[in-house]
Amino acid sequence: MATEHVVLVGKKPIMNYVVACLTLFNSGANEVLVKARGRAISRAVDAVELLRRIFLKDVEVADIKIGTEMLTNPEGQKTNVSTIDILLRRKTE
């Protein structure tokens, strides 16, 4: 998958990520990868569900990968952060 078809979810409002996905699909992408870590995971899931149920009914969740990343905070302590990758794909009839 091309790296330009990736939406990284952070602290912005959910609609920003929905619009980013819409833009990628409308520009010809057949697949979009939505990635998030930590507290942004719920925002990513909400954005994907909004996109699928309201804006693009022909988009389906093709794959979901979950995992954990080890991060070092500024104090030098190592912490585990959960990650999620949601692969969206246009349905082909």
Side-chain angles (χ1 to χ4, degrees):
M1 170 179 282
T3 54
E4 65 268 9
H5 297 150
V6 175
V7 175
L8 300 174
V9 178
K11 295 181 177 181
K12 293 179 183 172
I14 292 170
M15 281 307 295
N16 289 35
Y17 305 111
V18 173
V19 170
C21 291
L22 274 170
T23 304
L24 289 172
F25 278 120
N26 289 337
S27 67
N30 286 328
E31 292 185 341
V32 173
L33 182 64
V34 179
K35 300 180 83 157
R37 293 194 308 197
R39 294 181 182 154
I41 289 174
S42 63
R43 192 171 285 112
V45 172
D46 290 345
V48 167
E49 287 302 301
L50 254 173
L51 181 73
R52 282 181 52 233
R53 293 182 182 185
I54 297 172
F55 295 100
L56 292 176
K57 301 209 186 286
D58 65 335
V59 169
E60 63 186 355
V61 175
D63 191 25
I64 297 176
K65 291 188 173 113
I66 57 172
T68 306
E69 287 183 13
M70 179 82 71
L71 296 179
T72 306
N73 64 14
E75 291 84 38
Q77 295 176 322
K78 293 185 186 236
T79 58
N80 290 327
V81 177
S82 299
T83 62
I84 191 167
D85 293 353
I86 305 170
L87 181 62
L88 301 174
R89 184 176 295 141
R90 281 212 187 232
K91 293 179 190 172
T92 55
E93 260 107 11

